[in-house]
């Protein structure tokens, strides 16, 4: 088994050598999917999930496209399979067959939070996007809001994978231009903790090298000994603290134990250092390249991407001629007449976004896995925003891109009766992975799913 | 869980503004900085002090600490990243937590540091000592520095068991590095651990760390450790002496400068985008503007400058590029003193503040007004309500930004708050979106008359210099500065029970000739400096 190398990854990304049967080195070391017993176990897991849904998906990627869209330029025309992409999504035309665009889904959780007087037009949509929970508690007068509940569905999918025996290098990849915060964090744990956005690639990848098997094993044993000692340090400290301190140390200990488990199943994923581009346009590509490389060697099966926080101080995109910040543009297009330049600029933002999504999907499709499928085939990408339009959250701009070996019936514009609960879509997304959930989020919202609208007949 | 807080005057302002906000407000929504200003907090609990739970080192503290332990190459091994900011500061304990990813990342950093740079920081061994004895000596020497506390013999014994285990497979050098890695993964290294004694007071070693991170943003040096371990920090005179020594160290100036950089959001200068068609050549100004702010504030901090100087000084520092930007004659090569031209005063008249608080293609009276209310007077206006429509587009070529803003914010539902924001911001209209002086816009003469709309210095002002003068004399500004300092150094938002302390620090600054550095020395007199800040159920 060879580790993935940068050269191999580039071959995969670029599709230059299309005759390559598989991307070299997509494998695990001493890993889950090696050995007859583990393979049999994996088949059993697969069979159990197949009993819930045909072709359960394997990889989940959530993208948050902040600050909503313009309905007149975002929703397609036509219906069902006979639809025409609107101008903001036009760049997705080459992958239209993998696409589901939706209309009629409301983020009722965010609406209700606003009605209750706790919303601000953004944070409630961000934090409910994948959780179905309102957020209330917060750090005083900051842009940092705590969610009242979790987990977000990326965490649920990750936990399901682990329950089924998969142990990646990380539970999930979380990348973006922003740190954690109420306007940017969509991946939220059951305990309301939020994922860090990290650019530390050493967590995901091994550096290229020529270490012998003995050296690798010694390093593994050494790290385990060190980690054991660290866990002992934290365990000793625990009885000496209480309250919030104890909660924090408990969480730290749980993470250490999770890391320890991962050490025992070492997924190797070798990659050169990714240089950090100064340019925001290239950094966006880098985010997707990192996810592609990591997923190609099964270092992770879940990822969330928040390009930029929502709300005030939004991003500027000088590389596509957008100097005004996106959040401000999102308001300008509400109040300005159609001929106003803000519409073209806001569309430029969405087209740029769509071009990036296209590139990402094409890269995923270009990578062949050991079983002959492509990396995209078992992948579901869910793209959402915290708002639809003008701080409101009906008709959310939700978009799904899914491979053929998932339950989704793609290549369609799915227009639903108005006011469908977005939590039902979250249930459908979970069930697409073979999860048996019937409800996501706050129990005040009814159970239900949108499987019939989205899954293959 | 962090509690919400009350800023003097803030709640009343929210109540008033909330009454006025209905759909249709224009102009303010979307201005960078608004996301820092959220809904009114719930009612405060009278008399309650805030709490500071166990929290991790900030990235700056981590970098400084690694540098002190192992040299600058260690800090260079840190992966890129940012800390979350609360109320403009990166030190708020409420959000300085670890996730599994960041713990994993710290583990790898610890390994990288121990493998690549730790050897040079170890004590040399005496000739003839066994490898194990040598390692034990080295770990006993560096362990207390990494942990920022005494290393008991039983812990050293346990560390040597790890050394033995690794040494068998990989040899002595790797074993010693493994122990260093283990130490770097300890809670005592990665967190600010303050357990205190039975009375809730910090132990001397904990106090040394608190003082050190408060004044230097890094670990204690040997002298401070010695002061703690010899009992000198048990006495007020000992603390005062150490504080005086620390404040004389350049690290204190750097840390205080960073406080001001965060306060004015200087880091945004690197990221803001200006429309090249409107402001050609702005990229070349970023560096000089940043250097100017640092030199200006740094000089004040180092040379007993006052808070009033911050607002009113006519002396700044810049290179030839900046001098030309200001329309003055360079006095020499490199960064030189510059006498600000008429119309500019203090940091509010400098390019950094004006460019960061300007739009991509125009000035922004709203951003500048909100900064004064929020950061300088600690009286932030309420955010615009959800659902507002209509925004400021391009100003028609026949008018001024001021006229446009006045028009768009004139509806009564907007005017409630904008009546406070705009008149402050208008005083800066003699500067465009990057801070270049101007006397007209689109052929119309600039009008800089305005009003400081709140606080003890409230009143009409004719422009930015008058505004700066009024702020420079204001007691409310000192109270706000003390509040900001408290947030940054006590690592939390203030509660009602903290307000007296904040007032006392402001008083102390005034009593100490208004010196900026008095912010730091005033804290030494506060009992809270010596207490564990989180005592729930202890």
């Amino acid at each position: 088994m060879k580790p993935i190398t940068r050269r191999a990854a580039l071959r995969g990304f670029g599709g230059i050598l299309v005759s390559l049967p598989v991307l070299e080195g997509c494998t695990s070391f001493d890993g889950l999917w090696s050995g007859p017993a583990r393979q049999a176990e994996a088949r059993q897991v697969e069979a159990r999930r197949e009993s819930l849904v045909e072709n359960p998906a394997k990889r989940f990627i959530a993208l948050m496209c902040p600050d909503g869209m313009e309905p007149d330029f975002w929703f397609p025309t036509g219906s069902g399979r006979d639809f025409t992409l609107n101008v903001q999504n036009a760049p997705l035309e080459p992958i239209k067959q993998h696409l589901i665009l939706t209309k009629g889904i409301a983020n009722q959780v965010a609406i209700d939070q606003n009605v209750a007087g706790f919303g601000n037009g953004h944070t409630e949509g961000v934090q409910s996007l994948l959780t179905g929970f309102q957020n209330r508690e917060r750090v005083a007068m900051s842009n940092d809001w705590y969610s009242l509940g979790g987990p977000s569905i990326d965490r649920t999918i990750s936990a399901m994978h682990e329950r089924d025996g998969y142990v990646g290098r990380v539970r999930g990849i979380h990348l973006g231009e922003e740190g954690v915060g109420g306007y940017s964090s969509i991946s939220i744990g059951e305990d309301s903790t939020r994922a860090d956005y990290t650019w530390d690639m050493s967590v995901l990848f091994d550096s290229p090298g020529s270490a012998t098997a003995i050296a690798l094993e010694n390093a593994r044993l050494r790290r385990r000994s060190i980690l054991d000692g660290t866990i002992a340090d934290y365990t000793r400290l625990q009885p000496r603290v209480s309250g919030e301190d104890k909660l924090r140390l408990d969480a730290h200990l749980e993470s250490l134990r999770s890391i320890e488990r991962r050490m025992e199943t070492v997924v190797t994923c070798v990659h050169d250092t990714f240089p950090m581009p100064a340019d925001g346009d290239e950094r966006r590509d880098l985010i997707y390249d990192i996810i592609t490389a990591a997923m190609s060697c099964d270092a992770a099966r879940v990822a969330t991407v928040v390009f930029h926080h929502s709300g005030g101080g939004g991003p500027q995109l000088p590389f596509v001629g957008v100097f005004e910040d996106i959040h401000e543009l999102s308001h300008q297009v509400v109040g300005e007449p159609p001929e106003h330049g803000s519409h073209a600029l806001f569309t430029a933002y969405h087209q740029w976004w769509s071009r990036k999504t296209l590139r990402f999907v094409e890269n995923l499709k270009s990578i062949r896995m050991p079983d002959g499928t492509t990396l995209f085939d078992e992948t579901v990408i869910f793209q959402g925003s915290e708002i639809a339009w003008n701080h409101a959250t009906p008709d959310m701009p939700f978009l799904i891109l899914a491979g053929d070996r998932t339950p989704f019936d793609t290549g369609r514009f799915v227009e639903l009766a108005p006011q469908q609960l977005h939590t039902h879509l979250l249930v459908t997304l979970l069930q697409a992975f073979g999860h048996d959930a019937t409800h996501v989020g706050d129990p005040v919202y009814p159970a239900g799913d949108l499987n019939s609208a989205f899954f293959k007949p | 869980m962090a509690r919400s807080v009350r800023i003097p005057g803030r709640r009343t302002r929210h109540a008033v503004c909330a009454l006025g906000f209905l759909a249709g407000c224009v102009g303010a929504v979307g201005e960078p900085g608004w996301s820092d200003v959220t809904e009114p907090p719930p009612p405060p609990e009278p008399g309650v002090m805030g709490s500071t739970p166990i929290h991790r080192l900030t990235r700056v503290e981590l970098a400084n600490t690694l540098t002190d332990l192992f040299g600058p190459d260690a800090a260079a091994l840190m992966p890129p990243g940012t800390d979350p900011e609360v109320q403009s500061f990166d030190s708020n304990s409420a959000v300085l937590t670890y996730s599994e990813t960041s713990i994993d990342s710290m583990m790898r950093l610890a390994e990288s540091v121990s493998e690549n740079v730790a050897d040079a920081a170890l004590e040399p061994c005496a000739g003839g000592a066994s490898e194990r004895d040598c390692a034990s000596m080295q770990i006993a020497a560096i362990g207390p520095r990494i942990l920022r506390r005494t290393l008991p013999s039983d812990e050293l014994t346990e560390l040597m068991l790890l050394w033995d285990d690794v040494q068998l497979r990989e040899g002595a050098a790797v074993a010693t590095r493994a122990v260093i890695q283990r130490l770097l993964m300890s809670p005592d290294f990665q967190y600010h651990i303050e357990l205190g004694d039975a009375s809730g007071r910090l132990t001397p070693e904990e106090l040394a760390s608190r003082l050190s991170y408060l004044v230097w943003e890094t670990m204690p040096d040997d002298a401070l450790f010695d002061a703690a371990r010899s009992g000198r920090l048990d006495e007020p005179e000992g603390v005062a002496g150490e504080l005086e020594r620390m404040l004389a160290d350049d690290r204190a100036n750097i840390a205080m400068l960073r406080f001001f950089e965060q306060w004015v959001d200087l880091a945004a200068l690197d990221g803001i985008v200006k429309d090249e068609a409107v402001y050609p050549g702005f990229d070349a100004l970023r560096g000089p503007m940043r250097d100017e702010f640092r030199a200006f504030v740094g000089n004040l901090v180092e040379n007993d400058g006052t808070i009033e100087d911050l607002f009113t000084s006519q002396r700044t520092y810049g290179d030839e590029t900046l001098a030309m930007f200001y329309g003055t004659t360079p006095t020499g090569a490199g960064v030189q003193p510059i006498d600000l031209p008429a119309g500019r005063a203090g940091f509010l008249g400098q390019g950094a503040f004006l460019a960061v608080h300007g739009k991509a293609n125009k000035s922004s009276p709203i951003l500048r007004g909100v900064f004064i209310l929020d950061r300088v007077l600690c009286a932030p206006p309420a955010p615009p309500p959800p659902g507002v429509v209509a925004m400021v587009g391009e100003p028609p070529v026949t008018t001024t930004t001021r006229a446009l803003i006045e028009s768009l914010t004139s509806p009564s539902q907007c005017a409630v708050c904008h009546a406070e924001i705009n008149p402050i911001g208008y005083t800066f209209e003699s500067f465009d979106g990057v801070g270049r002086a101007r006397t007209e816009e689109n052929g119309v003469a600039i009008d800089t008359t305005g009003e400081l709309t709140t606080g003890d210095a409230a009143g009409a002002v004719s422009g930015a210099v008058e505004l700066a003068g009024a702020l420079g004399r204001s007691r409310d500004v000192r109270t706000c500065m003390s509040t900001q300092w408290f947030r940054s150094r006590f690592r939390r938002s203030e509660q009602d029970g903290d307000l007296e302390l904040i007032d006392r620090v402001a008083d102390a600054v005034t009593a100490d000739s208004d010196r900026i550095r008095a912010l730091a020395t005033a804290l030494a007199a506060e009992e809270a400096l010596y207490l564990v800040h989180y005592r729930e159920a202890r």
Side-chain angles (χ1 to χ4, degrees), chain A residues 138 141-143 146 171 196 200 222-223 225 242 244-245 248 252 258 316 327-328 332 336 390, chain B residues 10 30 35 38-39 54 93 99-100 102 105 111 165 170 191 273 359 388 391-392 534 536 538:
Chain A
R138 61 181 188 160
M141 288 190 299
S142 76
N143 64 0
Y146 287 126
R171 291 193 196 191
D196 273 348
D200 183 0
R222 171 172 21 97
R223 288 170 187 145
S225 295
S242 59
E244 177 74 16
D245 289 350
R248 291 186 175 198
H252 199 113
S258 171
Q316 297 163 283
H327 173 252
E328 184 150 336
Q332 288 184 24
E336 300 289 1
N390 189 26
Chain B
R10 177 181 166 79
S35 60
T38 57
E39 302 296 314
I54 285 174
S93 57
S99 70
E100 185 173 318
S102 53
S105 184
E111 182 172 286
D165 176 52
E170 301 183 89
Y191 284 93
V273 176
K359 305 305 292 294
V388 292
M391 287 296 304
V392 181
Y534 185 82
E536 182 183 338
R538 274 200 187 124

Side-chain angles (χ1 to χ4, degrees), chain A residues 63-115:
Chain A
L63 314 175
M64 193 188 87
C65 176
D67 297 318
M69 48 81 207
E70 275 192 274
D72 289 346
F73 300 132
W74 196 91
F75 290 114
T77 55
S79 62
R81 296 189 194 285
D82 184 18
F83 71 99
T84 303
L85 289 169
N86 210 327
V87 60
Q88 292 188 343
N89 286 317
L92 297 175
E93 184 69 29
I95 51 172
K96 188 179 171 186
Q97 73 276 21
H98 300 302
L99 189 60
I100 301 177
L101 287 155
T102 71
K103 189 175 185 185
I105 298 176
N107 185 338
Q108 193 62 40
V109 182
I111 292 170
D112 291 345
Q113 183 169 336
N114 257 317
V115 170

